[in-house]
């Protein structure tokens, strides 16, 4: 086990290094002058001032030097300075992390609960049309853009019936609408994967045995099928966390909340490359951490799963089908 | 590849009809909405949907239905460009990895794994930060962000086909690689690729409209679905139709495209 964990940690470090490299190539090695982008085409800035800014951020050094120096600083936890916020990138990210973590956590809990409930209800529905009706919901959750769902909830629950505040970040009431918006695609994906797993598990011999022993259908599904179908759904949940982070970009804009998503739109609009790179790294780090946690959880749910590395299918292959 | 599905009844037919209408709107917008999308009529501002103005009118009195129909061309073309970029580059990488195996395979798939660990919207945003805003940059950014997922699916498809009996039989019959590839592998790969393309198209519409909504795509006054929603957002309190109806158009197009992907999946 210790060896497995060590191997996975090495792999995680590799992914982080590679994510740093990829984002460096995308942001700094592509042709284009970040300083010219920062000051804008109309700004009244002399060539000397531009050169001064360049040397202040170390952008006048050769690319290889920039890359190696940046990487060395990154391993010490220093991701450079944000040009726009005029503070270290790590500080800017740390300040925005809390609100987004709260939102994404709430969305993950709601989304998982709704997805599991929907899949179980669909499998247990006594009439075929009820099952069909329930199973039309998950594809909707995946296909409806979150800006539309967010604005729809705003229109109905905030403006028309005034149940929840429209924007801001104070108290749980302001968390409800954005969390619901963010939870919908997650619930859709989990329900689809779980429903497929439950359908397959329902045909297994152990389900016949469970029913023959006198278990009711709901009990057989809840105690036997769910546990077997939960593994792929758990993998999906791990993959969804990155999606939640990306979703926060749109959701936090719609509901005017502070957080990583808002920081991202601000950084991209201002072409604050160091900050964008920091945010990409946070996204990759979260993905790596969550999937590490999921992989370590796996053997607890299913003792047959040896601690062997598994290959994962592309996320979106399952997401939309 | 079959367009008439075994399951699902009329849903795929409706999907095809909707997508055809959307394509018609993109190719000949004048046919569905003969009016001028930027004709301003201040006397008629913020009118709710009616028979005269199906989707209502906006803050300048422009007919929203006409603007949505004319916006189809930019929205769908951008999504199409994104799909093409992702599919062509992704398939090339996937084919390379699947056929070369060995070190090439390991190397390519390692890069793909890393790209998959960055949420695709975040990757598109990083590309936009580097390339600058604009609808074509958005399309290319969305396409590049989907390369990894396409490469992964393509590789698994190649591995599946090259292990199949008919490829082995063709080899045993003495056929050259090029012939096996063109006559046996390619025809058997059209179904999965069509499903993948439809799926990617739906995802691209979602991503492009989300990025336009955030303000990186088309600049007003040109109509585009995502930016129409963004403009309508400011008037949500008094005129819900301005944001919600273009948004529903996006949702229905994505839904139709995803449903079609499921129907053509072999």
């Amino acid at each position: 086990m210790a060896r497995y964990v060590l191997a996975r940690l090495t792999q995680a470090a590799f992914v982080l290094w590679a994510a740093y490299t990829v984002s460096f190539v995308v942001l700094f090695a592509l042709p284009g002058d970040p300083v010219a982008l920062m000051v804008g085409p109309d700004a009244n800035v002399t060539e000397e001032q531009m050169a001064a800014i360049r040397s202040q951020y170390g952008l006048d050094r050769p690319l290889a030097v920039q890359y190696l120096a940046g990487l060395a600083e990154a391993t010490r936890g220093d991701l450079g300075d944000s040009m726009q916020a005029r503070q270290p990138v790590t500080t800017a990210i740390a300040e925005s992390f809390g609100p987004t973590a709260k939102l994404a956590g709430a969305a993950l809990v709601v989304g998982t609960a709704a997805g599991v409930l929907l899949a179980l209800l669909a499998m247990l529905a006594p009439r075929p049309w009820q099952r069909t009706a329930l199973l039309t919901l998950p594809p909707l959750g995946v296909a409806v853009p979150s800006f539309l769902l967010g604005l729809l909830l705003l229109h109905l629950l905030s403006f028309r019936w005034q149940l929840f505040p429209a924007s801001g970040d104070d108290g749980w009431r302001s968390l409800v609408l954005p969390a619901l918006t963010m939870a919908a695609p997650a619930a859709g994906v989990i329900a689809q994967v779980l429903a497929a797993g439950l359908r397959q598990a329902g045909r297994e011999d152990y389900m016949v045995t469970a029913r023959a022993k006198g278990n009711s259908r709901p009990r057989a599904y809840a105690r036997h099928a769910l546990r077997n179908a939960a593994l792929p759904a758990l993998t999906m949940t791990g993959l969804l966390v990155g999606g939640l982070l990306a979703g926060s970009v749109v959701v936090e804009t719609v509901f005017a909340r502070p957080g990583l998503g808002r920081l991202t739109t601000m950084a991209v609009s201002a072409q604050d490359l160091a900050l964008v790179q920091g945010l990409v790294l946070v996204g990759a780090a979260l993905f790596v951490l969550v999937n590490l946690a999921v992989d370590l959880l796996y053997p607890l749910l299913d003792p047959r799963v040896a601690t062997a590395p598994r290959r994962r299918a592309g996320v979106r292959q399952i997401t939309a089908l | 590849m079959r367009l008439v599905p075994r399951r699902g009844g009329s849903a795929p037919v409706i999907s095809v009809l909707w997508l055809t209408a959307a394509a018609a709107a993109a190719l000949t917008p004048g046919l569905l909405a003969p009016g001028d999308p930027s004709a301003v009529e201040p006397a008629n501002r913020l009118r709710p949907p009616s028979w005269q103005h199906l989707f209502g009118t906006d803050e300048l009195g422009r007919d929203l239905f006409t603007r949505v129909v004319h916006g189809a061309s930019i929205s769908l073309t951008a999504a199409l460009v994104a799909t093409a970029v992702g599919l062509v580059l992704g398939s090339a990488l996937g084919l390379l990895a699947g056929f070369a195996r060995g070190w090439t395979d390991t190397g390519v798939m390692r890069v793909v794994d890393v790209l998959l660990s960055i949420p695709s919207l975040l990757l598109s945003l990083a590309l936009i930060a580097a390339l600058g805003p604009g609808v074509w940059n958005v399309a290319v950014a969305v396409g590049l962000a989907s390369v990894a997922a396409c490469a992964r699916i393509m590789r698994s498809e190649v591995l599946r086909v090259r292990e199949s009996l008919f490829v082995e039989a063709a080899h045993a019959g003495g056929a050259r690689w090029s012939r096996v590839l063109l006559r046996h592998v390619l025809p058997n790969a059209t179904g999965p690729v069509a499903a993948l393309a439809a799926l990617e198209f739906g995802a691209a519409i979602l991503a492009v409209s989300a990025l336009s909504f955030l303000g990186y795509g088309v600049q007003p006054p040109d109509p585009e679905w995502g930016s129409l929603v963004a403009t309508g957002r400011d008037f949500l309190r008094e005129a819900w139709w301005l944001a919600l109806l273009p948004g529903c158009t996006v949702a229905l197009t994505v839904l139709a495209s995803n449903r079609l992907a499921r129907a053509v999946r072999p």
Side-chain angles (χ1 to χ4, degrees):
Chain A
M1 193 64 188
R3 233 180 113 173
Y4 171 66
V5 174
L6 191 71
R8 287 305 314 264
L9 283 177
T10 321
Q11 200 187 334
F14 167 78
V15 171
L16 282 182
W17 165 74
Y20 181 89
T21 310
V22 167
S23 54
F24 182 86
V25 169
V26 166
L27 292 168
F28 294 99
L30 287 182
D33 184 351
V35 176
L37 288 172
M38 186 182 81
V39 294
D42 332 305
N44 200 3
V45 183
T46 62
E47 197 52 43
E48 288 79 44
Q49 283 168 317
M50 298 259 286
I53 299 174
R54 245 177 237 126
S55 77
Q56 186 193 338
Y57 289 99
L59 291 167
D60 52 350
R61 298 171 293 175
L63 270 182
V65 177
Q66 281 185 47
Y67 170 74
L68 289 175
L71 193 59
E73 278 167 10
T75 53
R76 290 198 300 269
D78 178 6
L79 295 172
D81 287 327
S82 157
M83 290 185 185
Q84 195 66 23
R86 300 194 192 284
Q87 58 180 343
V89 166
T90 42
T91 315
I93 290 176
E95 278 170 7
S96 297
F97 194 81
T100 302
K102 206 163 62 177
L103 175 60
L108 193 63
V109 171
V110 173
T112 312
V116 171
L117 204 64
L118 194 59
L120 272 178
L121 280 179
M123 283 302 120
L124 293 173
R127 305 251 181 281
W129 67 265
Q130 291 166 336
R131 170 194 285 218
T132 316
L134 283 173
L135 286 181
T136 51
L137 290 176
L140 262 181
V142 174
V144 170
S146 48
F147 55 79
L148 174 62
L149 184 60
L151 292 173
L152 192 66
L153 290 176
L154 264 184
H155 170 64
L156 291 177
L157 299 180
S158 186
F159 293 159
R160 182 158 293 185
W161 295 317
Q162 308 195 333
L163 294 173
F164 299 102
S167 61
D169 177 27
D170 41 80
W172 64 272
R173 287 167 65 88
S174 67
L175 196 65
V176 174
L177 296 185
L180 280 180
T181 309
M182 228 166 158
V189 174
I190 292 173
Q192 277 174 316
V193 175
L194 199 60
L198 283 176
R199 197 178 299 130
Q200 201 180 358
R203 287 193 289 262
E204 298 283 343
D205 288 342
Y206 60 77
M207 284 296 281
V208 179
T209 312
R211 293 280 283 135
K213 284 197 311 193
N215 285 305
S216 63
R217 243 170 79 82
R219 193 179 155 84
Y221 265 101
R223 286 190 52 106
H224 298 274
L226 187 60
R227 189 157 169 177
N228 281 283
L231 295 177
L234 183 68
T235 306
M236 277 320 295
T237 310
L239 296 173
L240 280 175
V241 171
L244 287 178
L245 190 68
S248 76
V249 177
V250 171
V251 172
E252 285 172 6
T253 303
V254 168
F255 292 97
R257 287 174 62 89
L260 287 177
R262 278 289 283 280
L263 191 66
T264 310
T265 43
M266 202 196 75
V268 172
S269 301
Q271 299 190 295
D272 189 340
L273 299 187
L275 190 50
V276 174
Q277 187 180 28
L279 287 160
V280 168
L281 282 178
V282 168
L286 267 181
F287 179 90
V288 167
L289 277 179
V290 171
N291 282 295
L292 191 62
V294 166
D295 279 0
L296 295 177
L297 263 176
Y298 236 80
L300 296 182
L301 272 178
D302 186 353
R304 286 172 305 176
V305 178
T307 44
R310 288 164 298 110
R311 278 222 167 261
R312 264 189 215 92
V315 188
R316 289 197 306 186
Q317 183 179 15
I318 312 166
T319 312
L321 283 177
Chain B
M1 175 175 144
R2 54 168 106 185
L3 283 170
V4 185
R6 294 141 287 186
R7 49 184 191 259
S10 53
V13 180
I14 299 172
S15 302
V16 171
L17 286 179
W18 175 267
L19 288 177
T20 314
L27 294 173
T28 54
L31 208 66
L32 286 167
D36 176 3
S38 26
V40 179
E41 224 182 304
N44 264 334
R45 58 190 297 273
L46 298 180
R47 288 288 159 88
S50 62
W51 279 115
Q52 207 175 359
H53 300 287
L54 275 180
F55 282 13
T57 60
D58 69 2
E59 74 280 9
L60 298 174
R62 293 173 295 194
D63 180 53
L64 187 61
F65 180 72
T66 312
R67 289 179 67 72
V68 169
V69 166
H70 282 259
S73 123
I74 303 179
S75 292
L76 295 181
T77 316
L80 214 56
V81 169
T83 313
V85 168
L87 214 56
V88 168
L89 291 179
S91 301
L93 278 180
L95 279 172
L96 181 72
F99 272 105
R101 292 186 177 178
W103 275 107
T104 323
D105 184 19
T106 316
V108 170
M109 292 322 285
R110 272 287 153 85
V111 175
V112 164
D113 278 342
V114 169
L115 288 177
L116 282 176
S117 75
I118 304 170
S120 56
L121 191 67
L122 211 54
L123 193 57
S124 318
L125 282 166
L127 282 159
I128 290 169
L131 298 169
V135 65
W136 301 118
N137 287 353
V138 164
V140 169
V142 168
L144 287 177
S146 70
V147 164
C150 284
R152 160 137 272 170
I153 295 169
M154 205 59 191
R155 174 177 173 273
S156 68
E157 213 43 59
V158 168
L159 290 183
R160 188 183 62 82
V161 172
R162 65 177 288 164
E163 297 302 326
S164 57
L165 266 179
F166 60 82
V167 169
E168 207 178 308
H171 270 302
R176 270 174 292 118
W177 255 120
S178 52
R179 190 181 160 80
V180 175
L181 195 65
L182 286 177
R183 293 294 300 270
H184 300 275
V185 175
L186 220 52
N188 280 287
T190 45
V193 170
L196 179 60
L199 199 57
E200 282 301 322
F201 186 61
I205 295 176
L206 264 186
V208 168
S209 64
L211 291 168
S212 294
F213 171 75
L214 293 172
Y216 302 120
V218 173
Q219 299 309 313
D222 278 350
E224 192 273 344
W225 292 349
S227 56
L228 283 175
V229 178
T231 322
R233 182 183 163 229
D234 301 334
F235 298 89
L236 188 64
R237 206 178 275 272
E238 58 264 48
W240 56 269
W241 54 91
L242 272 187
L244 298 188
L245 292 181
C248 286
T249 314
V250 176
L252 285 173
T253 313
V254 177
L255 200 61
S257 173
N258 286 354
R259 193 62 190 76
L260 201 62
R262 230 171 87 189
V264 296
R265 193 169 45 162

